[in-house]
């Protein structure tokens, strides 16, 4: 039915997302809910009537960023209605309610109901405290299908939420609740909707996606079942697995991806430490030997597979020797890049009870060493791919007459801009690495063929 509401009467809403791909998928879904109710989505700086800020709380820095964005929103429109949702909002609702200029705070169980809960987004009289809707995290049991549609080329599709792993350093179970999943039927339906919008690549995301299949505490399906079902979805060229715990990445998943029609040779596998002692302190569910086994299995079946690694430096109890153990472990593994996280203290986590505490200066030094190692690993991985031919999915961003894209095994390439290549997968030969760590390819026009 056509919306007859006058365009000028529409309330304008803007969104800002901090944190992970999961947050982006949820923000995008919430923004579509607003648009379906007649709100007009605008950019943050276009004086919106309503600001929705989706927060992260993985590090202390994310909390500071939230405060900064609220300040900016108040500057852009002092009369704007500022709503905070997400992990920080679940963990510290009263702290956020005290931030000047915040009108409402919604926790994990409430964020998908914000249009109903905040009926009309009418500001309270000056001096009135922010409204807080925040149930105990045990109440966050519903599952909300979410996916991003901001980027035509690639979409983040949420398949799982929450986590049952009590890692010593992590607040995510406190912020997102217990592990729970969508059904395979719903995920396939969402993938088909995404395909119909013209998107070519879907990144599967969640807090602990290898734990897919839990509903109401019962395991009804498995992540492997999901992978097999998605491999049959027409219209999507590529599925990418965003991050999967090493103890949940089974031989059957690796073997299936190796011969899959649509799943690409790219895994992101959190390690966190290469020291078994530190892994024990972190309460991780595997030892380094299992990690080596997973990497070897992948490389045996997919020699050109890209493997990304999460690692935390400066966790309480990590000695210099144990850090070097991690460094040498990573240096010797055939991995492709690192995501390095500097440990930061989080309230209500068991890591706070572990001694000795690593000084901030040591944490920074260790982080720098691993960032340099990551650059070396990425360059070496790229060098191994030169002279080979891959399919690149080209993106819309154009800079200095050049466009970029990713190969199926996550090599970032650059090519001369050609409007016909946007959102297309094309076969190219990888030629050389430039000073920006992008791989140059043979002339895109020469290789442009109908796919």
């Amino acid at each position: 039915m056509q919306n007859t509401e006058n365009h000028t009467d529409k309330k304008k809403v803007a969104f800002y997302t901090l944190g992970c791909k999961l947050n982006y998928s949820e923000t995008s879904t919430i923004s579509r809910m607003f648009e379906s109710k007649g709100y007009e989505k605008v950019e943050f700086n276009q004086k919106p009537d309503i600001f929705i800020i989706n927060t992260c709380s993985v590090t202390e820095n994310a909390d500071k960023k939230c405060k900064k964005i609220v300040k900016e929103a108040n500057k852009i429109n002092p009369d704007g209605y500022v709503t905070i949702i997400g992990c920080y909002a679940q963990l510290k609702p009263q702290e956020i309610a005290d931030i000047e200029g915040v009108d409402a705070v919604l926790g994990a169980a409430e964020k998908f109901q914000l249009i109903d809960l905040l009926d009309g987004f009418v500001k309270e009289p000056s001096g009135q405290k922010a409204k807080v809707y925040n149930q105990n995290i045990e109440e966050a049991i519903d599952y909300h299908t979410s996916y991003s549609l901001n980027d035509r080329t690639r979409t983040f599709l949420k398949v799982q939420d929450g986590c049952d792993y009590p890692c010593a350093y992590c607040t995510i179970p406190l912020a997102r609740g217990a592990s729970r999943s969508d059904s395979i039927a719903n995920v396939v339906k969402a993938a088909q909707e995404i395909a119909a919008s013209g998107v070519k690549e879907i990144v599967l995301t969640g807090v602990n996606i290898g734990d897919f299949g839990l509903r109401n505490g019962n395991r009804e399906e498995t992540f492997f079942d999901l992978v097999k079902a998605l491999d049959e979805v027409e219209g999507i060229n590529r599925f990418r697995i965003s991050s999967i715990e090493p103890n949940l990445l089974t031989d059957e998943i690796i073997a299936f991806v190796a011969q899959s029609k649509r799943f690409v040779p790219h895994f992101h596998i959190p390690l966190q430490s290469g020291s078994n002692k530190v892994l024990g302190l972190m309460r991780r569910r595997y030892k380094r030997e299992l990690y080596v086994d997973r990497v070897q299995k992948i490389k045996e079946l997919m020699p050109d597979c890209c493997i990304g690694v999460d690692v935390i430096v400066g966790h309480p109890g990590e000695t210099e020797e144990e850090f070097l153990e991690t460094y040498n472990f990573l240096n010797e593994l055939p991995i492709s890049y690192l995501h390095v996280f500097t440990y930061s203290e989080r309230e209500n986590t068991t890591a706070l009870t572990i001694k000795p505490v690593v000084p901030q200066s040591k944490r920074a030094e260790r982080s720098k060493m691993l960032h340099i190692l990551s650059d070396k690993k990425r360059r070496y991985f790229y060098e191994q791919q030169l002279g080979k031919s891959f399919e690149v999915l080209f993106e819309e961003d154009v800079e200095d007459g050049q466009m970029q894209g990713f190969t199926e095994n996550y090599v970032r390439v650059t090519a001369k801009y050609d409007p016909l290549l946007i959102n297309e997968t094309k076969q190219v030969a990888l030629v050389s690495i430039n000073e920006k760590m992008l791989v140059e390819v043979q002339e895109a026009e020469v290789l442009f063929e109908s796919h």
Side-chain angles (χ1 to χ4, degrees):
M1 198 166 80
Q2 195 175 3
N3 187 350
T4 55
E5 186 183 359
N6 188 309
H7 182 75
T8 55
D9 293 333
K10 280 186 176 184
K11 276 199 173 180
K12 295 189 286 188
V13 59
F15 298 85
Y16 196 96
T17 306
L18 291 161
C20 62
K21 293 166 182 168
L22 190 54
N23 274 5
Y24 280 94
S25 73
E26 292 181 339
T27 299
S28 188
T29 297
I30 291 167
S31 80
R32 292 195 296 278
M33 287 162 57
F34 270 88
E35 289 176 283
S36 73
K37 297 272 188 179
Y39 290 82
E40 182 189 353
K41 185 183 170 189
V42 297
E43 294 300 320
F44 210 78
N45 60 359
Q46 292 179 304
K47 208 176 175 188
D49 303 297
I50 304 157
F51 296 89
I52 310 289
I53 302 165
N54 192 357
T55 60
C56 165
S57 200
V58 170
T59 65
E60 199 64 52
N61 199 29
D63 300 1
K64 288 174 188 154
K65 284 179 185 172
C66 174
K67 288 167 190 165
K68 189 174 180 181
I69 295 155
V70 170
K71 199 173 173 185
E72 190 62 24
N74 284 294
K75 224 190 293 179
I76 291 165
N77 184 4
D79 299 321
Y81 193 101
V82 178
T83 305
I84 313 293
I85 61 173
C87 293
Y88 181 29
Q90 177 63 37
L91 291 171
K92 298 186 178 178
Q94 294 307 327
E95 185 178 297
I96 298 171
D98 290 338
I99 299 172
E100 192 180 341
V102 170
D103 295 292
V105 185
L106 285 84
E110 295 82 14
K111 63 189 169 192
F112 283 93
Q113 303 160 21
L114 71 144
I115 298 176
D116 297 328
L117 288 171
L118 302 178
D119 188 32
F121 298 88
V122 179
K123 281 181 87 72
E124 299 290 334
S126 183
Q128 196 90 347
K129 202 155 164 143
K131 289 179 177 174
V132 175
Y133 299 90
N134 183 290
Q135 297 177 67
N136 211 315
I137 194 59
E138 283 76 27
E139 302 299 319
I141 54 173
D142 291 338
Y143 186 86
H144 297 272
T145 303
S146 303
Y147 55 83
S148 64
L149 272 184
N150 305 329
D151 182 343
R152 253 179 358 110
T153 312
R154 183 184 299 109
T155 281
F156 301 124
L157 171 58
K158 175 176 135 183
V159 301
Q160 183 274 343
D161 200 352
C163 189
D164 295 338
Y165 286 14
C167 296
Y169 51 82
C170 186
T171 56
I172 289 173
L174 303 174
R176 282 190 168 268
S179 181
R180 57 202 185 276
S181 309
D182 215 337
S183 66
I184 289 176
N186 275 348
V187 176
V188 167
K189 182 170 173 281
Q192 288 165 340
E193 287 168 10
I194 292 164
S197 75
V199 168
K200 297 287 174 70
E201 180 177 312
I202 290 177
V203 182
L204 302 182
T205 187
V207 176
N208 187 357
I209 64 175
D211 200 32
F212 176 89
L214 280 177
R215 275 192 299 287
N216 304 317
N218 301 315
R219 183 162 306 285
E220 297 181 9
E221 295 167 319
T222 69
F223 185 62
F224 183 47
D225 295 333
L226 176 67
V227 166
K228 287 188 291 186
L230 289 173
D231 205 47
E232 300 300 324
V233 174
E234 298 290 336
I236 296 294
N237 291 37
R238 298 173 168 182
F239 284 98
R240 208 176 281 279
I241 297 169
S242 65
S243 179
I244 184 165
E245 294 284 307
N247 51 303
L248 298 175
L249 179 56
T250 61
D251 281 356
E252 59 186 2
I253 293 170
I254 295 168
F256 186 84
V257 169
Q259 54 80 54
S260 162
K261 292 178 281 194
R262 294 184 170 87
F263 277 82
V264 294
H266 175 205
F267 290 97
H268 193 92
I269 316 167
L271 169 68
Q272 312 310 12
S273 175
S275 156
N276 279 340
K277 184 192 151 203
V278 176
L279 286 172
L281 291 173
M282 290 177 166
R283 298 169 72 174
R284 300 291 286 162
R285 297 197 172 196
Y286 52 86
K287 289 190 161 61
R288 55 185 261 158
E289 289 77 12
L290 175 83
Y291 201 92
V292 172
D293 182 70
R294 299 297 76 205
V295 171
Q296 285 176 343
K297 182 75 178 173
I298 290 165
K299 285 295 186 177
E300 181 189 308
L301 296 179
M302 293 168 273
D304 291 326
C305 186
C306 180
I307 302 174
V309 183
D310 286 343
V311 61
I312 295 171
V313 294
H315 189 276
E318 181 188 67
T319 63
E320 193 67 27
E321 292 71 31
E322 283 149 6
F323 166 70
L324 290 173
E325 202 181 336
T326 294
Y327 184 95
N328 293 327
F329 180 73
L330 290 165
N331 193 29
E332 288 160 23
L333 272 181
I335 54 161
S336 315
Y337 63 90
L338 306 172
H339 281 172
V340 183
F341 298 90
T342 303
Y343 170 78
S344 72
E345 285 77 0
R346 312 307 289 146
E347 281 179 33
N348 302 314
T349 56
T350 56
L352 295 176
T353 64
I354 302 170
K355 301 286 182 277
V357 172
V358 179
Q360 292 289 354
S361 58
K362 277 280 172 210
R363 297 182 208 180
E365 192 183 292
R366 291 172 190 179
S367 173
K368 189 177 177 185
M369 282 178 70
L370 285 187
H371 275 102
I372 292 167
L373 179 61
S374 180
D375 290 343
K376 287 179 180 169
K377 285 284 183 184
R378 191 185 296 273
R379 173 169 280 279
Y380 182 72
F381 175 65
Y382 281 10
E383 284 169 353
Q384 302 301 104
Q385 311 309 311
L386 296 181
K388 296 175 183 175
S389 177
F390 291 96
E391 274 195 348
V392 173
L393 177 56
F394 283 99
E395 298 175 348
E396 212 166 351
D397 298 334
V398 179
E399 199 180 315
D400 301 329
Q402 294 285 114
M403 63 197 303
Q404 295 180 13
F406 282 102
T407 61
E408 55 268 50
N409 64 340
Y410 212 56
V411 174
R412 196 175 242 311
V413 310
T414 181
K416 189 178 169 190
Y417 170 63
D418 180 344
L420 286 174
L421 287 176
I422 291 172
N423 199 34
E424 294 293 336
T425 51
K426 297 298 160 194
Q427 200 76 20
V428 296
L430 307 191
V431 177
S432 59
I433 304 168
N434 69 18
E435 70 286 351
K436 292 180 179 174
M437 269 289 278
L438 299 169
V439 176
E440 294 178 346
V441 299
Q442 282 187 12
E443 281 297 309
E445 299 97 316
V446 174
L447 290 154
F448 185 79
E449 305 160 355
S450 292
H451 181 68

